[in-house]
Amino acid sequence: MGDHKEQPLRVGAAVRRRRRALDLTLAVVAERSGLSVPFLSQIENERARPSQTSLEKVADALRTTAVELLAAADPACSVDVVRAEGAEPRTEPRVRSLVRGHHQMHASEFTGDHDAGRELQFRNDQLMYVADGAVEIEAEGRAYRLGRGDTLYLTGGVRHRWRATVPETRLLVVAVAEHIEALRDKPRR
């Protein structure tokens, strides 16, 4: 009943659909991503589960984002519960999608750090909320320091990068999905 706890996330089919939509071969995606053709084939056939870093490389090669690939991995449903993973502490950085399926919004939870040198730019607006710890976000030539409970709103198209400044930081990112054509206010006359 909306709780898909037993169903594993199938990102391979989303990768294959995106690759085929762009009319790319596995060899081209391998060259763009720096990953091997056999590994990409295993991902597409659900025989290997990519790490967050590998998924980001695949997403970059397919001119999309890891969040979009994860969102496309499951069919949409009207009510869906995404359960928290086990309570055991983890030391490695990770990202967890908080919304499954093809929806108008996406939400992800980043724990720890990520590739702070990676510049990001999304088509539509997004909100970044610091659940725990602290981050530094660089956007439009300025650095913003955010602590627990702080939010930063980014209009679509703004180039930015971020890094955790405290271990075990949890950053929630909620964004309008890339497939949505966000409407801009018309100038008033």
Side-chain angles (χ1 to χ4, degrees):
M1 291 199 349
D3 187 349
H4 299 291
K5 187 167 108 177
E6 305 82 30
Q7 299 176 4
L9 196 60
R10 295 175 44 99
V11 74
V15 169
R16 181 184 300 112
R17 280 191 304 272
R18 177 70 180 179
R19 179 179 63 78
R20 287 181 176 168
L22 294 173
D23 200 26
L24 299 175
T25 64
L26 280 173
V28 170
V29 176
E31 183 180 324
R32 288 182 180 178
S33 67
L35 302 171
S36 71
V37 171
F39 180 60
L40 291 170
S41 176
Q42 289 177 341
I43 290 171
E44 285 192 1
N45 292 302
E46 306 294 343
R47 290 192 304 264
R49 207 167 165 185
S51 67
Q52 181 60 32
T53 301
S54 293
L55 187 59
E56 286 175 359
K57 288 178 180 181
V58 170
D60 287 345
L62 296 173
R63 295 186 178 98
T64 189
T65 65
V67 171
E68 284 291 324
L69 288 175
L70 289 170
D74 279 341
C77 58
S78 60
V79 176
D80 188 18
V81 175
V82 178
R83 300 282 181 196
E85 294 178 17
E88 72 277 352
R90 295 178 178 230
T91 55
E92 76 277 355
R94 65 186 176 100
V95 64
R96 178 172 73 101
S97 182
L98 302 176
V99 178
R100 288 186 288 232
H102 195 66
H103 296 287
Q104 294 181 13
M105 285 182 28
H106 295 293
S108 297
E109 175 187 59
F110 293 86
T111 303
D113 212 345
H114 78 121
D115 181 1
R118 184 169 187 242
E119 187 173 66
L120 306 167
Q121 180 181 26
F122 296 96
R123 175 179 169 185
N124 293 323
D125 297 359
Q126 66 177 283
L127 176 80
M128 301 172 92
Y129 171 77
V130 181
D132 285 309
V135 297
E136 184 176 272
I137 301 170
E138 205 179 296
E140 296 193 327
R142 290 188 57 197
Y144 301 88
R145 295 180 189 274
L146 282 73
R148 185 172 188 254
D150 292 341
T151 62
L152 179 89
Y153 186 90
L154 294 167
T155 302
V158 172
R159 292 183 181 279
H160 63 284
R161 68 184 81 218
W162 68 269
R163 67 181 185 91
T165 57
V166 173
E168 292 305 307
T169 290
R170 284 188 325 130
L171 178 69
L172 304 181
V173 178
V174 179
V176 176
E178 292 286 313
H179 69 277
I180 301 295
E181 183 67 41
L183 301 175
R184 301 281 179 221
D185 291 337
K186 294 180 181 174
R188 295 180 190 211
R189 296 184 184 222

